[in-house]
Amino acid sequence: MTPSPTPRPGHGFRLIGDADGESFDFVLQPGESHVGAAAENDLVLRIAGVSHHHALIGIDDAGLWLRDLGSKNGTFLNGRRVEECRVKLGDIVGIGPVPLRLDAVDADDAAVAVRGRDQEPAKKSSPQRWSRSKTPSGTELNVPARWLGVVNRLDELVPAGSEHDISNVLQVLRDGLGADAVALVESLPKGQTAVRHVAGNIEQVNVVRQVIDKALGDGENETANRREVLLDGPLPATAAIVARSGTPMRALVALGDFPLRTAAGPILHMALRRVNRALGDTPPPSRPRLRRPIPDLQFPEGHVVGASEPMLSVYRQLRHLLKGSIPILITGETGTGKEHVARILHSSSPRASGPLVAVNCAAIPAELLEAELFGIERGVATGVERRDGKMLLASGGTVFLDEIGDMSPALQAKLLRALQEREIHPIGARRPVPFDARIVAATNTDLMTRIAEGRFRNDLYYRVAGYTLRVPALRERRGDIAALAEFFMHRVSAEVGRGVRGISVKALRVLIEAPWPGNVRELEHEVRRLVYLCPEGQVITSEMLSPSVLAPPAPGGDAELAADASLELSVHVEALERRLIRLALARSRGKLAGAARLLGVSRYGLTLKMQRLGIEE
């Protein structure tokens, strides 16, 4: 075949087309991409006239090539039926009746930074699927940098002496390497082997045993052995073997012809050392490096444990606040995850066996909030039945008072008395009732400013702020954005049953550099939108991002501030709140309910904020 023109440096390839009312925009990855109607193909075209395994398109040093796989309706290049040929930019590739144009794409949108989990049924191997191809270099793919991130994830998942997360370790390895499956295999007496843990589908487990049997047989009499084995054939594999005196020989096996598989041995050995330590066969290092101060903390489901220094600081502070009943005030912008922090504190404390009862002080009208907090007696009004308040329901546990800064002055006085006396007075009750609950409050406003304005009681502040814990904004912990985006992508993909191949390098870079005024909540909404928008089985690219993320309006940078302008944080926070509320009202055409949904607050809470900021409906 004659070499075809390759894209200029910094670019990759994509196939774009339409058929039967469906649009296709497929970014080609290095190596081979299978095209056809079957679910196991890389580009799935469920269109009449497309064979189950229709064609193969690949990238090598000379450019792109196209090969028909014996399809019934043929493969075409610019209208001419072909068996095998070279392809250049601008060519029209015909997969049966489906025309696809070959275009250039930014190289960072062609490289996958975050890999999606498979949502389709397990792939079935075929001789064509496992044909050998040239493995791209690490410089071309920048894969080793991603592998270093995999090692960091392993440090989180494998605490010494725990087998609980071994399966998660294998899943992290599988995603990071791009392998079809990863298995932990262990030697048994009489030369037999057993597969102990598996991530992914392994249809030919005998292949795994063949690799291990060969490796263990070569080093059977050694007291210490470290080796790597490569297996070619219908199911390529890379294995890392570690054998130690007095313990079973173990191997981590990565299956599939994934990029750089011939260089995967070192990372498999790193992972295997951690697995052996978790299984109790290898003592932990004498001076372990504590990456995250989390041994004493229990994280709620759905919480992504941050690795950035601002979040590590939050975790370190939390560890000192677990015992006792000192009231905690959690501050931070809207959407930073203040309630998540409160749940970590509760579930990690001695009060974890008791309930955590949350009350949103901004979402409940003032006349109802008192009954919600303190309870009400039967007969206070017509048809009213007796019910306990949240303070009493939380006995033995924790009360989380969210948005406490929006509480009315009258109720602030009653809450102050309850905290001073450690007893509540239900509406209509003749005598007070003692309660035993730890108070954790949260606010996204500056309470000291409110105190100066006479809108919050000074004495109540010191009752709820025994210790103030600030949750950093997302723009202050950008190192956590990739992990958050990956978590949200996997969760939403599973919810809607949509197979997303991952997030491109360029898209992830834009997500990391965006300002995120709505913080983690805004990032979650954006990733959810991207999963719904991304075509089935394809990669989220930068072109799919929201305009507000791609080109966010400047809320007021240093260049816009006069030399003598005030740097008081509360002034600029309120200015940002006003701008976002007005923007939400404009998008919802003045409807408060719609604006509240966009902002992630209740309608009542939005009304209070508008009154505080002097915004008219």
Side-chain angles (χ1 to χ4, degrees):
M1 293 184 291
T2 304
S4 63
T6 57
R8 57 188 182 277
H11 285 73
F13 298 100
R14 76 193 317 165
L15 291 170
I16 301 174
D18 297 277
D20 286 358
E22 186 175 358
S23 296
F24 301 96
D25 187 347
F26 180 77
V27 177
L28 295 169
Q29 299 299 312
E32 300 174 352
S33 296
H34 288 245
V35 185
E40 59 263 27
N41 288 286
D42 300 295
L43 173 53
V44 180
L45 301 175
R46 294 190 177 95
I47 305 294
V50 176
S51 299
H52 280 74
H53 300 280
H54 197 109
L56 194 63
I57 186 166
I59 303 175
D60 58 23
D61 290 340
L64 266 78
W65 52 266
L66 175 67
R67 183 186 305 152
D68 184 74
L69 296 178
S71 64
K72 179 179 179 180
N73 294 309
T75 300
F76 302 84
L77 181 67
N78 298 323
R80 179 175 57 89
R81 186 162 184 165
V82 296
E83 295 296 327
E84 189 169 355
C85 65
R86 286 285 175 180
V87 188
K88 63 181 183 299
L89 292 176
D91 282 347
I92 303 298
V93 175
I95 307 298
V98 181
L100 301 170
R101 187 179 76 254
L102 183 68
D103 276 357
V105 64
D106 190 301
D108 283 348
D109 265 336
V112 179
V114 176
R115 178 183 169 90
R117 294 194 181 102
D118 293 336
Q119 300 297 326
E120 296 287 351
K123 297 183 178 182
K124 294 185 178 181
S125 61
S126 66
Q128 295 162 334
R129 179 67 178 171
W130 302 116
S131 60
R132 294 302 305 269
S133 61
K134 179 182 181 296
T135 302
S137 68
T139 304
E140 293 171 318
L141 292 178
N142 195 29
V143 172
R146 182 179 64 183
W147 286 3
L148 293 177
V150 172
V151 175
N152 290 337
R153 294 284 304 278
L154 299 183
D155 286 336
E156 309 161 19
L157 294 173
V158 190
S162 170
E163 191 179 353
H164 177 69
D165 284 319
I166 299 300
S167 296
N168 290 338
V169 168
L170 302 191
Q171 185 63 54
V172 168
L173 278 172
R174 178 191 177 210
D175 293 343
L177 295 174
D180 290 321
V182 174
L184 174 64
V185 183
E186 188 172 281
S187 65
L188 296 175
K190 299 181 180 180
Q192 297 178 328
T193 57
V195 178
R196 186 160 178 174
H197 292 277
V198 177
N201 181 63
I202 299 182
E203 297 178 296
Q204 300 183 29
V205 177
N206 288 333
V207 173
V208 182
R209 293 198 172 100
Q210 178 184 346
V211 178
I212 306 309
D213 289 341
K214 174 185 175 183
L216 299 185
D218 291 343
E220 194 171 3
N221 297 320
E222 299 180 19
T223 58
N225 183 36
R226 178 188 185 275
R227 62 182 63 228
E228 299 162 14
V229 175
L230 294 175
L231 178 72
D232 295 321
L235 190 61
T238 301
I241 316 294
V242 170
R244 298 181 61 84
S245 176
T247 64
M249 289 187 178
R250 291 200 183 99
L252 276 180
V253 186
L255 293 172
D257 196 11
F258 52 89
L260 290 178
R261 78 176 183 90
T262 57
I267 191 172
L268 290 173
H269 277 293
M270 292 181 192
L272 192 52
R273 285 198 299 270
R274 287 158 174 78
V275 168
N276 281 335
R277 186 167 70 244
L279 296 175
D281 295 343
T282 305
S286 57
R287 297 183 62 187
R289 181 166 64 95
L290 184 62
R291 287 185 46 79
R292 297 185 175 188
I294 62 173
D296 301 332
L297 300 182
Q298 299 295 321
F299 293 90
E301 183 179 357
H303 179 83
V304 178
V305 182
S308 62
E309 183 53 39
M311 285 309 297
L312 293 180
S313 175
V314 170
Y315 300 145
R316 283 192 288 266
Q317 294 176 74
L318 280 176
R319 296 183 68 194
H320 295 291
L321 299 172
L322 301 182
K323 296 181 180 180
S325 297
I326 183 173
I328 309 296
L329 177 65
I330 304 175
T331 65
E333 298 176 8
T334 297
T336 52
K338 296 185 290 294
E339 184 170 349
H340 269 297
V341 173
R343 292 187 180 278
I344 295 170
L345 176 65
H346 170 75
S347 59
S348 306
S349 73
R351 291 179 174 268
S353 58
L356 171 64
V357 180
V359 183
N360 190 327
C361 301
I364 305 173
E367 58 273 15
L368 300 180
L369 184 57
E370 181 179 357
E372 190 73 11
L373 282 175
F374 305 135
I376 191 169
E377 292 296 318
R378 181 180 181 181
V380 171
T382 303
V384 172
E385 296 293 328
R386 180 189 178 279
R387 75 172 185 272
D388 291 331
K390 302 293 189 184
M391 305 281 282
L392 192 59
L393 291 175
S395 290
T398 305
V399 174
F400 177 61
L401 302 176
D402 196 12
E403 302 296 353
I404 193 173
D406 291 326
M407 185 177 289
S408 68
L411 193 53
Q412 289 179 35
K414 296 181 180 180
L415 178 61
L416 173 65
R417 181 173 181 81
L419 298 182
Q420 287 176 334
E421 305 297 331
R422 302 300 298 177
E423 58 185 22
I424 58 175
H425 205 291
I427 298 174
R430 296 183 178 181
R431 60 180 61 88
V433 179
F435 76 96
D436 174 29
R438 187 176 193 176
I439 304 299
V440 178
T443 181
N444 64 356
T445 60
D446 185 351
L447 292 185
M448 296 306 294
T449 300
R450 291 201 164 199
I451 290 172
E453 296 171 351
R455 293 188 289 168
F456 198 82
R457 295 180 64 102
N458 184 67
D459 44 6
L460 177 59
Y461 174 82
Y462 291 107
R463 282 290 177 181
V464 298
Y467 187 92
T468 300
L469 180 64
R470 178 179 175 273
V471 181
L474 188 56
R475 61 184 173 275
E476 300 173 37
R477 43 178 297 212
R478 297 188 186 278
D480 297 330
I481 290 179
L484 288 164
E486 179 182 12
F487 172 80
F488 294 141
M489 179 188 68
H490 289 162
R491 186 173 70 181
V492 177
S493 297
E495 287 176 3
V496 301
R498 181 181 292 271
V500 177
R501 290 174 65 194
I503 302 175
S504 74
V505 171
K506 185 174 182 180
L508 183 62
R509 183 187 304 131
V510 174
L511 292 176
I512 291 173
E513 294 174 354
W516 301 117
N519 294 292
V520 178
R521 185 181 294 126
E522 182 185 359
L523 174 63
E524 181 179 4
H525 290 332
E526 176 67 14
V527 174
R528 178 175 292 276
R529 171 190 167 277
L530 290 170
V531 171
Y532 275 85
L533 182 65
C534 182
E536 176 73 23
Q538 299 188 27
V539 176
I540 294 172
T541 63
S542 61
E543 295 177 353
M544 302 177 189
L545 298 172
S546 300
S548 59
V549 175
L550 285 168
D558 294 344
E560 299 179 7
L561 295 176
D564 58 347
S566 170
L567 298 179
E568 185 175 348
L569 184 61
S570 62
V571 174
H572 298 286
V573 169
E574 290 192 351
L576 178 59
E577 285 185 326
R578 288 190 183 91
R579 185 176 65 82
L580 291 176
I581 290 174
R582 290 193 176 103
L583 179 60
L585 288 170
R587 289 186 183 179
S588 64
R589 300 181 181 180
K591 296 181 180 179
L592 287 181
R597 281 195 299 271
L598 291 173
L599 295 167
V601 299
S602 68
R603 178 172 178 171
Y604 180 73
L606 176 58
T607 302
L608 290 178
K609 288 180 183 294
M610 292 173 63
Q611 293 173 353
R612 173 170 59 83
L613 298 171
I615 300 175
E616 297 182 357
E617 296 186 22

